[in-house]
Amino acid sequence: MNDQVSQGYGAVAATAETGWLTTSFVLIALGAALAVFILIWGTRLAIRRRKAREELDERGELEVVDPAQPIEPVSEIPSPPEAPAPAPEPSPLADEPIAAAAPVAAPSAALAADTNAEPAPVEPAPAAGGDDLTRLKGVGPKLAARLNELGITRFAQLAALDEASAKALDAQLGSFQGRMTRDRWTDQARFLAAGDTAGYEAVFGKL
């Protein structure tokens, strides 16, 4: 009975030992296979990287990184700029007497002669209570004075002239004869006598 039990325990122990050894061999085989796989995968990856680097080098796209240049030590520390020198204070002005102004020179003889010269002729003003006949186109100061001498002092007088009276007046104008008809004084005088400045400027232009 005891021999049978002993034999049973021995068989169980042998079976357990065999199973443990089998498991160990399986694990070792798996580890070796994994190591081989990693080695092969790493080799292929290295080959791919090398080929890629060669291709980039051939294309000229490979960037070469220069080694960092060492920083040169600072030999001297620059000194701070010197402060500007203070500006000199202005010296006080001495109390000096102010020179007297030079006397104004007397007017020259030429200036005195100019003052004694005759004044420029002044244009004749219209007769008292009359109109400014120079507002008529073609009538200047001399011609206005001549008309005043002939008794024509208002626009209404020229506007009221008939053809015969206008010809008689024109004949007395001397060197100005013919201007009354040429410049249409009677027509101008009608607008000015009525105070119709707009109508006048519409026909004869701006006053």
Side-chain angles (χ1 to χ4, degrees):
M1 182 70 179
N2 291 331
D3 293 336
Q4 292 178 354
V5 172
S6 300
Q7 290 178 1
Y9 280 124
V12 172
T15 302
E17 185 176 356
T18 302
W20 179 82
L21 290 175
T22 303
T23 304
S24 299
F25 282 125
V26 171
L27 292 176
I28 292 171
L30 289 175
L34 182 61
V36 172
F37 174 76
I38 291 174
L39 181 61
I40 295 173
W41 180 79
T43 304
R44 294 181 64 182
L45 182 60
I47 293 172
R48 288 180 181 177
R49 288 181 178 176
R50 185 172 64 253
K51 288 183 178 180
R53 185 181 181 87
E54 290 176 357
E55 291 178 0
L56 291 176
D57 193 8
E58 291 177 358
R59 296 176 185 174
E61 299 177 359
L62 182 63
E63 296 182 0
V64 180
V65 180
D66 295 335
Q69 297 180 356
I71 300 175
E72 296 181 359
V74 180
S75 57
E76 294 181 0
I77 299 176
S79 58
E82 298 181 358
E89 297 182 358
S91 57
L93 298 175
D95 295 335
E96 296 181 357
I98 301 174
V104 180
S108 60
L111 181 60
D114 291 341
T115 56
N116 295 329
E118 295 181 359
V122 180
E123 296 180 0
D131 297 325
D132 184 6
L133 300 180
T134 58
R135 296 180 66 190
L136 295 168
K137 302 288 185 181
V139 177
K142 291 183 179 180
L143 190 48
R146 178 58 180 163
L147 290 172
N148 290 335
E149 291 175 359
L150 297 174
I152 304 298
T153 59
R154 294 183 175 277
F155 297 132
Q157 292 176 276
L158 288 173
L161 293 176
D162 56 12
E163 185 177 357
S165 300
K167 288 182 178 180
L169 178 62
D170 186 58
Q172 301 180 57
L173 296 179
S175 60
F176 300 108
Q177 186 175 357
R179 290 193 179 184
M180 176 180 289
T181 304
R182 185 191 66 186
D183 296 327
R184 299 168 59 189
W185 288 357
T186 54
D187 296 334
Q188 294 186 58
R190 290 191 185 98
F191 286 104
L192 295 178
D196 188 5
T197 304
Y200 177 91
E201 291 181 349
V203 177
F204 298 100
K206 189 173 182 63
L207 282 172

